[in-house]
Amino acid sequence: MWREISKFGKKMVQCGLTHSHFGNISVRVGNRLIITRSGSMLDEIDENMVVELDLDKPSSFDTIASSEAIVHRHIYKETSALAIIHAHSPFAIVQSMVSSTNLLIPTDCESKYFLHEIPIITGGVGSKELAKNAAHALKDHKGAIIKEHGPIAMGKIVEEAFVTICSIEHACQVKYFTDILLQRKR
Amino acid sequence: MFGWNGKIANVYLTEKKTEIVPLSEKFLSKYLGGRGLGVKFVYDLVKPGIDPLSWENILVFATGPLTGTTCPTSGRYAAVSKSPLTGSIFDSNSGGSFGPELKFAGIDGLAIYGKAEQPVYIEIGNGKISIKDAKHLWGKNTREVTRELSKLGRVACIGKAGEKGVRFANIMNDYTHTCGRGGLGAVMGSKNLKAIVVKGDRKVSISDRERYKKYFQDITRLLVASPVSSKGLSEYGTAVLVNLTNYMRILPTGNFRFSRFDFAEEISGEKINSVFPIKKTPCYACPIACKREVRNTEMEVPEYETISMFGSSCRISNIQTIMKANRLCNEYGIDTITAGSTIACHSELNGEELTDKKLLELVELIGEKEGIGEELSQGSMRFARANKRPDKSMQVKGLELPGYDPRGVLGLALGYATSNRGGCHLRAYMIGPEIFGKPKLVNRLTFSGKSGLVQVIQNLFSAVDSLVVCKFALFSVGEEEWANILSAVTGIEFVSESLLEIGERIWNTERLFNLKEKFSNKDDTLPERFFREDGGVAGRNIKKEEFLESLLEYYRFRGWNRKGVPTKEKLARLNILN
Ligand SMILES: [Zn+2]
């Protein structure tokens, strides 16, 4: 299972979706979840850099898991997700900071079709509030952006979550440049 | 003067005299307090080659500039002496409330010289110190002594083990807090000193209250945000580590013959939480509160180190038995790591599996120094030597290794080998970076990059042990925050670098003491077992060439020569007179 996480961890960093020290990836297997460790580098994941947790009851292993493990756990409990990725992709963060509403509407055709809309949610790193808000948003969206922090996306497989992360970043980037050009025109 | 009291009490037991002498701000800002202060005194005043259990040894209790403030985890003090277990300079560090009380009594510490003719205890009130008769306390264990003296103040004392000279006897304060490991309890016993009781009501003065408040909040915020301190340690205590180290195959099992214990789950933090109702018993000013006991029973929950030694290393899977052994150790005032490791060594040597009953019997025999306990009370190095199998003692410089198999945490392996007080994890807690990923996760299975890191962390810990704050706070709070709050308290400007430099000064002073005691680079090593055997994980034995290369690199980082001796330039730069 760590191989799948490792593969997409590398891709995330290569694509500039996150710097290697930030972000986390997890996979659900039955009532267990396998998640990247606290302090691990996403482009250097091997089997020692992930940790397996029980979905229902926290244990000592939570102390070495990514500090967002609590958020992942909550999403798995509340949704049909089997894989989750969280990244610190820059354009998504920028859009979450300048948006005046808590719903971002993509402007490009592909993202519009694929994502419809992207909720912007709030909550501190590893907090119960964030866990609750993220699980709520992902009940009927593929992904969301944590305000001032970065996107979080789910899927049936890691690749599906990865596509959503890419798509969110793409939508935010397109919107960013369009907004600049439109403003210049005015 | 702010932060410090600027005073130390000298207690001359032979002459039955006491005096209070001033300490200058210049001196204190060079060594801070706690470990640094004690190390400087012991280095200057203890003559090389003396018997640590003779009147010639001295014993220093020292608080630091932060002790007794409200700064998180600042309820600590250090005891420093020459160790009867290792023969090295030795500082122990303990929490509870005894340290702050010393500070409230208007002194920064006390230095104890000579030997009393009869059993005595020292009583410290505000500005007054007296030597009192302790005949009625002699022969009693720590809980009873503490209870009897506690009407007079906070108590640090020894049990029977300290009286009888068990080489790893502890000093116990506030019932369950320990100055552990190096046998400073036996030093106390050798001086016929049963206890110290202290009471004070002076507040620690703070130079800049506004700044202090800000840094106080910074530190508190960081402690709350870190899952290791706010969730892991707070929820399970240090027992959080049992399942983790077992999973990573670094849980010492059967005297380090193996690295995984089939019954780890049975002795884990999770197990303890599920079986016992837990009450937290935090140290003074500590929001982490890792210390725990079983509700309504006064039964202490053992620390991870204790569980790993009496549990997996002795192959005992009954947590109740481990708790009883721990309790016995606290009563007698015995170090649990050395006791557990020495018993595990004994068990390997005679080829017998330990039973729960036998384990408890052996602990008691050590405490009483009776039967086989007489031999075991010398520690595993002397015991194994006497039995012609020195290789079966899992020690460095005479101090038994704690609960992490060095083969699976190579930074810690280097930390064990280079520690100034022998096989210890608390000189540079590499478990932070190598296991918890704090402050940054590093690959635990390589020596690469470790030598630089180990020496920086050793320097940092030396400074932190002198403030005195808790090492567990270092998972989330770094040198910058400590330097800030220290500046606000004392009114003297410290920055990260100055704190690390003080730490380096302390480390080098300790090294010089040990070199005069005939320790050399040959002692900066590990038990042969770790080079020869793999502990059950194929290929994991430590490669000697890699280890030695890393050790030489460490000396270079330290500014020492290839023999591990500090160079003149280094000592001059650190302002140490040799
Ligand atoms: Zn994040």
Side-chain angles (χ1 to χ4, degrees):
Chain A
M1 211 39 88
W2 65 269
R3 284 173 218 279
E4 196 68 2
I5 292 175
S6 173
K7 176 178 162 187
F8 287 97
K10 277 203 192 80
K11 275 186 188 291
M12 298 260 294
V13 177
Q14 276 162 8
C15 301
L17 288 165
T18 202
H19 288 287
S20 70
H21 288 291
F22 306 116
N24 32 70
I25 304 177
S26 75
V27 174
R28 174 178 181 167
V29 184
N31 70 337
R32 316 279 295 165
L33 76 139
I34 297 155
I35 187 166
T36 46
R37 283 181 56 186
S38 173
S40 60
M41 293 192 269
L42 275 195
D43 53 348
E44 286 189 17
I45 297 297
D46 61 19
E47 68 182 310
N48 292 314
M49 292 296 148
V50 297
V51 54
E52 196 178 321
L53 305 177
D54 191 298
L55 203 54
D56 297 307
K57 53 173 203 288
S59 71
S60 50
F61 288 92
D62 280 67
T63 38
I64 59 165
S66 157
S67 49
E68 303 289 16
I70 170 178
V71 180
H72 289 240
R73 184 179 261 133
H74 210 71
I75 294 172
Y76 286 127
K77 279 186 171 173
E78 301 284 313
T79 72
S80 58
L82 292 177
I84 296 170
I85 300 182
H86 161 57
H88 288 191
S89 33
F91 285 95
I93 299 176
V94 169
Q95 290 297 350
S96 80
M97 285 158 79
V98 299
S99 173
S100 51
T101 64
N102 54 12
L103 217 51
L104 203 72
I105 311 293
T107 48
D108 65 296
C109 147
E110 171 97 26
S111 311
K112 236 191 262 179
Y113 172 76
F114 183 71
L115 296 169
H116 310 296
E117 56 184 30
I118 313 164
I120 298 173
I121 57 174
T122 55
V125 175
S127 68
K128 280 191 188 132
E129 187 201 355
L130 179 58
K132 210 179 98 217
N133 293 345
H136 181 76
L138 294 188
K139 264 182 191 156
D140 35 31
H141 298 88
K142 290 189 168 76
I145 308 175
I146 308 162
K147 198 175 173 78
E148 300 168 359
H149 184 166
I152 185 158
M154 58 166 245
K156 294 275 174 279
I157 52 174
V158 186
E159 183 163 352
E160 196 185 340
F162 177 69
V163 172
T164 304
I165 292 281
C166 294
S167 187
I168 291 175
E169 186 64 359
H170 179 69
C172 291
Q173 197 167 2
V174 167
K175 188 166 159 35
Y176 177 89
F177 289 120
T178 350
D179 285 352
I180 289 180
L181 290 178
L182 284 174
Q183 219 160 34
R184 271 200 205 158
K185 249 186 180 171
R186 256 180 241 139
Chain B
M1 204 182 294
F2 296 98
W4 298 284
N5 286 313
K7 282 175 202 146
I8 189 160
N10 286 324
V11 179
Y12 304 98
L13 292 173
T14 315
E15 296 84 2
K16 297 182 194 147
K17 267 197 211 137
T18 66
E19 62 177 5
I20 292 180
V21 292
L23 294 168
S24 74
E25 197 169 77
K26 192 169 161 230
F27 171 79
L28 287 168
S29 47
K30 220 170 133 186
Y31 290 93
L32 291 179
R35 174 173 166 188
L37 180 66
V39 162
K40 175 66 177 155
F41 265 69
V42 170
Y43 177 72
D44 285 347
L45 299 172
V46 172
K47 275 188 287 172
I50 61 142
D51 174 2
L53 294 179
S54 74
W55 66 271
E56 287 177 289
N57 200 3
I58 74 165
L59 174 63
V60 179
F61 288 80
T63 66
L66 296 184
T67 309
T69 64
T70 56
C71 174
T73 78
S74 65
R76 305 189 75 84
Y77 72 98
V80 187
S81 190
K82 178 176 173 178
S83 159
L85 186 65
T86 64
S88 69
I89 196 163
F90 209 101
D91 71 288
S92 293
N93 181 294
S94 178
S97 300
F98 178 81
E101 200 73 24
L102 265 178
K103 197 78 177 281
F104 300 154
I107 52 175
D108 293 307
L110 64 162
I112 300 160
Y113 309 78
K115 178 181 178 174
E117 220 172 294
Q118 301 281 334
V120 294
Y121 70 92
I122 298 172
E123 188 182 346
I124 306 170
N126 284 318
K128 225 181 132 252
I129 297 165
S130 34
I131 301 170
K132 298 251 168 97
D133 182 18
K135 258 183 250 123
H136 62 296
L137 299 170
W138 206 252
K140 289 180 179 169
N141 269 339
T142 62
R143 197 164 278 270
E144 201 179 342
V145 173
T146 306
R147 199 175 293 128
E148 257 179 65
L149 288 180
S150 58
K151 52 187 177 294
L152 302 173
R154 299 279 179 186
V155 181
C157 66
I158 56 169
K160 287 192 200 174
E163 293 176 9
K164 292 171 191 245
V166 172
R167 283 187 193 270
F168 43 95
N170 289 340
I171 302 168
M172 304 291 300
N173 64 276
D174 302 287
Y175 290 101
T176 57
H177 296 266
T178 21
C179 273
R181 306 249 48 206
L184 300 197
V187 173
M188 230 169 119
S190 74
K191 296 186 172 308
N192 269 329
L193 176 60
K194 183 67 181 173
I196 299 167
V197 54
V198 56
K199 191 163 182 57
D201 54 17
R202 298 188 198 177
K203 276 219 170 88
V204 179
S205 56
I206 287 169
S207 170
D208 186 338
R209 288 233 154 247
E210 280 308 301
R211 255 179 100 193
Y212 176 80
K213 218 164 122 188
K214 183 185 173 301
Y215 298 139
F216 172 89
Q217 282 162 353
D218 284 352
I219 291 174
T220 308
R221 203 175 302 128
L222 286 167
L223 285 174
V224 172
S226 164
V228 178
S229 42
S230 66
K231 297 199 186 101
L233 287 172
S234 189
E235 177 79 17
Y236 303 102
T238 52
V240 67
L241 278 155
V242 177
N243 278 332
L244 286 176
T245 54
N246 194 47
Y247 168 72
M248 293 182 188
R249 305 221 51 173
I250 53 170
L251 179 65
T253 304
N255 202 27
F256 288 88
R257 272 170 291 170
F258 311 98
S259 52
R260 186 167 62 196
F261 186 46
D262 288 341
F263 305 100
E265 191 68 47
E266 289 301 305
I267 57 173
S268 68
E270 284 90 333
K271 175 78 179 190
I272 294 171
N273 279 14
S274 73
V275 175
F276 303 104
I278 299 294
K279 179 182 155 201
K280 291 185 184 180
T281 51
C283 294
Y284 171 92
C286 183
I288 305 174
C290 68
K291 197 112 186 149
R292 291 127 27 96
E293 62 179 38
V294 178
R295 199 176 287 282
N296 303 328
T297 64
E298 287 190 339
M299 186 71 151
E300 314 77 298
V301 174
E303 302 290 339
Y304 168 72
E305 307 301 341
T306 307
I307 297 174
S308 65
M309 287 301 121
F310 284 136
S312 52
S313 204
C314 286
R315 297 213 254 209
I316 294 291
S317 57
N318 184 339
I319 188 67
Q320 308 248 22
T321 303
I322 297 168
M323 285 167 100
K324 282 182 200 154
N326 181 55
R327 177 56 174 271
L328 275 174
C329 284
N330 286 351
E331 277 288 354
Y332 279 99
I334 301 173
D335 185 71
T336 56
I337 300 176
T338 293
S341 191
T342 304
I343 291 171
C345 168
H346 167 255
S347 164
E348 185 183 349
L349 277 178
N350 73 6
E352 257 174 48
E353 280 291 312
L354 277 162
T355 59
D356 292 33
K357 187 163 160 276
K358 181 85 186 162
L359 175 81
L360 296 174
E361 261 171 37
L362 288 174
V363 174
E364 210 158 339
L365 286 172
I366 291 173
E368 299 285 353
K369 237 176 144 177
E370 277 170 10
I372 183 77
E374 171 88 47
E375 271 182 76
L376 297 175
S377 74
Q378 306 294 317
S380 71
M381 180 180 74
R382 289 173 175 85
F383 175 77
R385 256 188 214 155
N387 285 277
K388 310 253 178 320
R389 293 307 302 271
D391 55 312
K392 299 294 184 196
S393 162
M394 296 298 113
Q395 52 80 24
V396 172
K397 300 187 182 86
L399 187 70
E400 286 71 12
L401 297 176
Y404 314 91
D405 189 321
R407 287 168 289 207
V409 265
L410 294 180
L412 190 66
L414 186 63
Y416 284 160
T418 58
S419 154
N420 283 335
R421 70 171 203 182
C424 172
H425 57 302
L426 295 172
R427 309 287 89 181
Y429 195 55
M430 293 300 290
I431 296 305
E434 294 188 301
I435 300 296
F436 285 119
K438 303 285 170 202
K440 177 74 202 75
L441 190 61
V442 298
N443 184 348
R444 63 191 171 95
L445 298 175
T446 171
F447 278 112
S448 159
K450 297 293 166 63
S451 45
L453 192 58
V454 165
Q455 57 102 25
V456 170
I457 298 185
Q458 286 172 340
N459 293 346
L460 176 61
F461 276 38
S462 306
V464 158
D465 283 341
S466 307
L467 286 172
V468 184
V469 287
C470 180
K471 289 164 198 80
F472 287 153
L474 288 169
F475 286 128
S476 25
V477 184
E479 55 267 37
E480 200 183 328
E481 286 81 19
W482 297 122
N484 284 343
I485 201 156
L486 178 64
S487 308
V489 168
T490 59
I492 303 170
E493 285 309 308
F494 291 91
V495 291
S496 309
E497 286 69 31
S498 48
L499 215 54
L500 288 169
E501 191 187 283
I502 292 168
E504 194 182 6
R505 178 175 301 125
I506 295 166
W507 192 270
N508 277 273
T509 307
E510 293 170 348
R511 182 76 176 184
L512 288 181
F513 182 99
N514 290 350
L515 290 171
K516 286 182 183 171
E517 293 290 345
K518 306 274 188 294
F519 284 97
S520 76
N521 58 334
K522 295 204 174 57
D523 299 297
D524 295 337
T525 189
L526 296 164
E528 273 301 310
R529 166 161 283 164
F530 301 116
F531 298 114
R532 290 211 192 114
E533 303 168 16
D534 64 13
V537 187
R540 210 195 247 179
N541 58 312
I542 297 176
K543 317 296 172 285
K544 204 155 204 173
E545 324 73 65
E546 288 179 19
F547 168 79
L548 288 172
E549 196 182 314
S550 176
L551 182 65
L552 278 180
E553 194 178 85
Y554 168 91
Y555 291 162
R556 271 204 302 280
F557 268 108
R558 281 236 166 260
W560 297 352
N561 69 18
R562 291 176 62 88
K563 293 267 182 200
V565 178
T567 56
K568 280 212 174 63
E569 301 77 55
K570 174 54 86 180
L571 295 179
R573 203 181 64 65
L574 290 171
N575 225 326
I576 300 172
L577 300 174
N578 192 0

